[in-house]
Amino acid sequence: MGIGTVGSGTFNVLERNQDEIRRRAGRGIEITMVADLDTARAKSVVGDKAQVVGDAREIIANPEIDVVVELIGGYGIAKALVLEAIAAGKHVVTANKALLAVHGTEIFKAAAEKGVMVAYEAAVAGGIPIIKALREGLTANSIQWVAGIINGTTNFILSEMRDKGLDFEVVLKEAQRLGYAEADPTFDIEGVDAAHKATLMSAIAFGIPVQFDKAYVEGITKLTSTDIRYAEQLGYRIKLLGITKRTDKGIELRVHPSLVPAKRLIANVEGAMNAVVVHADAVGTTLYYGKGAGSEPTASAVIADLVDIARMDGSDPAHRVPALAFQSHTLAAAGHELPVLPMTEVVTSYYLRIRVADEAGVLAKITGLLAGAGISIDAVLQREADEVGGEGSTQTDLIILTHDTREGDMNQALAEIQSLPTVLAPITRIRKEELN
Ligand code: NDP
Ligand code: HSE
């Protein structure tokens, strides 16, 4: 259902590698029917190898079909079709993180009641098998945190802006042309897509229900080249990170631009590549890297799910890997014991850029207010006024790096600093993650 960027990649890779896939799966996986609104374009992809229809419900009604692959996207018709496919007793493969992050609880419950599988490896980090790693490879561990570059479009934009000095809009258009961006690209640039993925990883890592509504979401649209440059001078790169972390009080679940030390491997992940770092008690830190978007990289994950289903079809549902890694009856209680924390309770360090009057005593006043809020300073950088505002300028930028502090305390301190008459513009605050 839906044969656009990912759907056509899935068709082509399955055709190309059918023999090896058959040897791995133990049986063939054949695409017999394809539904798309644009039937002419769909026919140009599949030729006479599959029947093309305009109405996806014809697929659901077909008793010969065992597995339905949903590659339409969004929460609208895709949700109805997925639930109808489950009700018809068909297994479902989807790349639709938006759908699962928002309606996952309902969809997984319906699938469990019907005894069918809903597989979604492609929904997080495209071609990287991160769902498999979190759900199966790391199953011995108590996972402590997961942090990742999980949106190819925004990483592509940040890389191209930094390396080639290109404009935001120009790079976004290129990401759309290459098939990386969502149908609504504001989902990419405002951090929503990354938050959908972080929500799914949070559920799998900690055994809690999917709770997209509790995620903190901030995108890259307010980032300036000035901050990217200052961060570089301080030995950091700015990346849009999706982070979920277990703390004594609950679970942090947040997406926002972050300064990351330039020496970390993840800081050097460029273009549409994705990377996810997982820190767990037994194994320590592991890193997963690869193409996070695009036709065939995403198809790779879709087909991996198809192979899993081909192998497990007909098995006792109780013997399958649980959809969210933990047995479903344990999720709700864990959600109460491990609540997703409001952003004010998150503890992290910060980069602050404060435009000030270049006068004696300004720095002391600001550091005094930070100290009063219990916020410890890691480093201070003051730019030359001429460099900031041109020759003869009476303004300058103060850049302050802090140690870890509670976001609520930082909000309070920043409100006080902002109200100083010597602070001349809205303060820029970017969170900083050492990831060590
Ligand atoms: P595309 O827009 O390229 O493809 C979606 C296809 O679905 C289009 O051909 C569209 O037709 C068709 N369609 C829309 N409505 C219907 C309908 N009611 N019945 C049948 N077909 C329909 O999207 P992508 O392939 O990029 O994305 C598909 C899914 O994969 C999304 O959930 C996305 O988030 C996810 N994903 C995408 C990745 C990527 O790199 N692109 C990576 C990982 C996940 P028309 O164009 O005529 O509207
Ligand atoms: N729009 C998404 C991205 C596609 O840019 O990462 C992959 O999920």
Side-chain angles (χ1 to χ4, degrees):
M1 304 192 296
I3 186 154
T5 303
V6 182
S8 56
T10 301
F11 188 86
N12 293 333
V13 175
L14 205 46
E15 278 286 304
R16 193 168 72 230
N17 297 340
Q18 183 63 250
D19 287 347
E20 282 189 65
I21 289 167
R22 180 188 296 273
R23 284 172 58 209
R24 290 189 174 118
R27 55 167 108 168
I29 300 168
E30 194 188 341
I31 297 184
T32 53
M33 236 176 154
V34 167
D36 200 285
L37 295 183
D38 189 337
T39 50
R41 198 187 50 212
K43 279 189 184 126
S44 75
V45 177
V46 306
D48 56 6
K49 295 201 170 99
Q51 184 187 349
V52 172
V53 294
D55 179 1
R57 290 194 165 91
E58 284 193 47
I59 291 182
I60 295 169
N62 185 337
E64 296 298 314
I65 286 173
D66 305 302
V67 189
V68 168
V69 183
E70 183 277 306
L71 296 170
I72 294 170
Y75 326 100
I77 183 72
K79 181 186 175 200
L81 292 172
V82 163
L83 287 171
E84 285 171 34
I86 291 169
K90 299 189 189 310
H91 304 296
V92 174
V93 176
T94 179
N96 192 339
K97 53 268 171 163
L99 177 63
L100 294 181
V102 176
H103 299 292
T105 302
E106 180 185 352
I107 289 168
F108 293 129
K109 183 165 177 281
E113 283 168 5
K114 202 70 191 176
V116 295
M117 292 173 262
V118 173
Y120 56 96
E121 182 63 70
V124 182
I128 305 174
I130 188 64
I131 300 296
K132 194 86 157 174
L134 285 170
R135 208 163 58 168
E136 298 177 50
L138 299 177
T139 198
N141 290 263
S142 172
I143 293 174
Q144 282 140 10
W145 54 261
V146 181
I149 295 170
I150 45 178
N151 182 267
T153 302
T154 44
N155 203 49
F156 182 70
I157 292 173
L158 291 177
S159 301
E160 296 284 296
M161 282 174 71
R162 206 195 73 222
D163 294 347
K164 300 187 185 156
L166 294 174
D167 284 341
F168 187 99
E169 291 300 333
V170 172
V171 192
L172 173 59
K173 284 216 164 55
E174 179 64 359
Q176 287 176 291
R177 192 187 67 76
L178 292 166
Y180 302 152
E182 294 304 300
D184 177 356
T186 58
F187 272 36
D188 296 291
I189 61 180
E190 296 297 355
V192 177
D193 176 72
H196 288 146
K197 295 164 179 167
T199 298
L200 291 171
M201 291 199 292
S202 185
I204 301 173
F206 305 121
I208 57 173
V210 282
Q211 297 166 80
F212 173 70
D213 55 333
K214 309 242 175 78
Y216 174 81
V217 190
E218 185 183 315
I220 62 166
T221 49
K222 296 200 182 78
L223 273 183
T224 66
S225 52
T226 306
D227 294 306
I228 294 172
R229 198 177 64 244
Y230 285 157
E232 294 260 8
Q233 290 169 6
L234 290 158
Y236 292 86
R237 296 252 170 99
I238 299 181
K239 295 288 183 188
L240 184 72
L241 289 188
I243 298 169
T244 186
K245 192 183 279 188
R246 186 202 300 263
T247 75
D248 292 344
K249 292 185 183 162
I251 301 294
E252 293 181 5
L253 174 54
R254 49 196 171 100
V255 170
H256 48 71
S258 303
L259 270 77
V260 180
K263 64 186 175 199
R264 297 264 179 274
L265 286 172
I266 196 168
N268 296 284
V269 171
E270 303 291 5
M273 302 305 276
N274 280 193
V276 181
V277 184
V278 182
H279 189 71
D281 67 340
V283 71
T285 303
T286 52
L287 170 70
Y288 308 84
Y289 170 80
K291 288 191 175 151
S295 182
E296 292 206 356
T298 312
S300 164
V302 170
I303 296 169
D305 280 344
L306 283 169
V307 170
D308 270 353
I309 288 176
R311 288 175 178 143
M312 296 301 289
D313 180 41
S315 64
D316 179 348
H319 294 163
R320 296 176 190 153
V321 179
L324 289 175
F326 290 71
Q327 299 297 331
S328 58
H329 65 272
T330 69
L331 297 179
H336 293 299
E337 290 152 21
L338 286 172
V340 176
L341 297 170
M343 199 57 194
T344 47
E345 290 303 321
V346 162
V347 173
T348 185
S349 55
Y350 295 84
Y351 159 103
L352 307 174
R353 177 167 60 84
I354 311 174
R355 177 62 59 92
V356 293
D358 192 14
E359 293 170 13
V362 174
L363 177 61
K365 187 83 189 157
I366 290 171
T367 54
L369 287 172
L370 289 171
I375 298 167
S376 161
I377 293 172
D378 183 26
V380 179
L381 177 72
Q382 181 172 344
R383 309 310 307 168
E384 293 292 337
D386 286 0
E387 186 194 323
V388 172
E391 206 176 313
S393 171
T394 55
Q395 304 182 6
T396 192
D397 278 337
L398 275 181
I399 292 98
I400 299 178
L401 301 184
T402 75
H403 288 296
D404 275 353
T405 189
R406 218 184 115 259
E407 176 120 346
D409 295 335
M410 179 55 84
N411 292 345
Q412 178 90 34
L414 287 185
E416 289 170 16
I417 295 169
Q418 189 71 71
S419 66
L420 293 173
T422 45
V423 172
L424 305 175
I427 298 169
T428 299
R429 167 241 305 259
I430 307 175
R431 298 165 189 93
K432 179 164 81 64
E433 302 295 328
E434 293 297 328
L435 301 180
N436 53 6

